[in-house]
Amino acid sequence: MGTVTLGVSIAVPEPYGSLLQRQRASFGDPAAHGIPTHVTLLPPTRAESEALPVVEAHLAAVASAARAFPMRLSGTGTFRPLSPVVYVQVVEGGAACTWLQKRVRDASGPLVRELQFPYHPHVTVAHGIADEAMDRAYEELADFEASWACTSFALYEQGEDEVWRKLREYAFGGSETHGVPTQGGAPHHRAPVRR
């Protein structure tokens, strides 16, 4: 049946998501229009297509055990020189993101994987572009602030066109969720997931 590339993340809601996506594009990051703004819980992971029902059941169980929590973004950070990434910092909600990502990758579930780097919740705004553009991203978003109540995460699949698309959203503890609208400038309903 083949394999798929999956990811799990928390979408940054509007109006912040579109704003940061446009900023990422303005820095010259070619991935900007294929990866809406997000906090990663599971980086791109290969899985067998026929395993999707098991993956979905696992994620539903993780979400049912979670509760809504406050998320706040503030200022910028970077992983340079270790990794060519500039990001907006998660200053509130990081512990909950860490709890969630551990359960998503739990050894008893279908999405077991080792991480290349220790988990650090963040919102990527520039990745693998020229140093001057990375510096500009770091400086221009230094005063960025956003906050919201996080009530869900979602499963995404990367298409052959390298665009991420949402497969399903998982509300925490059975809470109501209306989803995050598609971000501006998007030719498709795309989704997060990348460093």
Side-chain angles (χ1 to χ4, degrees):
M1 193 178 221
T3 62
V4 291
T5 300
L6 303 175
V8 178
S9 63
I10 295 167
V12 175
E14 296 304 322
Y16 315 117
S18 288
L19 186 151
L20 289 177
Q21 191 178 35
R22 286 191 303 272
Q23 286 289 107
R24 185 170 180 172
S26 79
F27 303 137
D29 190 330
H33 294 296
I35 308 172
T37 315
H38 68 284
V39 176
T40 299
L41 298 178
L42 177 76
T45 300
R46 298 293 292 173
E48 296 296 323
S49 299
E50 60 266 22
L52 272 174
V54 175
V55 168
E56 291 185 348
H58 169 66
L59 294 176
V62 172
S64 71
R67 296 295 176 264
F69 59 91
M71 284 281 285
R72 187 163 69 89
L73 310 179
S74 181
T76 50
T78 184
F79 294 131
R80 295 185 293 173
L82 188 61
S83 181
V85 172
V86 170
Y87 58 86
V88 171
Q89 299 183 81
V90 174
V91 296
E92 186 175 5
C97 291
T98 300
W99 184 90
L100 285 168
Q101 67 87 28
K102 281 181 183 173
R103 276 141 191 87
V104 166
R105 295 185 303 107
D106 190 83
S108 66
L111 295 172
V112 178
R113 70 162 287 173
E114 293 298 316
L115 298 180
Q116 185 178 2
F117 301 104
Y119 183 73
H120 180 87
H122 64 281
V123 176
T124 298
V125 290
H127 181 238
I129 56 177
D131 280 339
E132 298 76 19
M134 301 278 271
D135 293 342
R136 192 162 66 88
Y138 188 88
E139 292 161 10
E140 288 186 16
L141 292 169
D143 296 327
F144 181 82
E145 296 278 342
S147 59
W148 71 95
C150 181
T151 60
S152 66
F153 60 74
L155 172 66
Y156 300 89
E157 179 181 352
Q158 185 181 39
E160 289 183 17
D161 56 1
E162 298 191 3
V163 171
W164 288 89
R165 294 174 178 88
K166 182 163 61 173
L167 297 180
R168 184 173 166 196
E169 189 162 359
Y170 299 86
F172 296 157
S175 66
E176 290 287 321
T177 180
H178 303 289
V180 175
T182 301
Q183 295 176 10
H188 303 285
H189 184 81
R190 301 175 327 265
V193 180
R194 186 144 173 160
R195 278 198 53 71

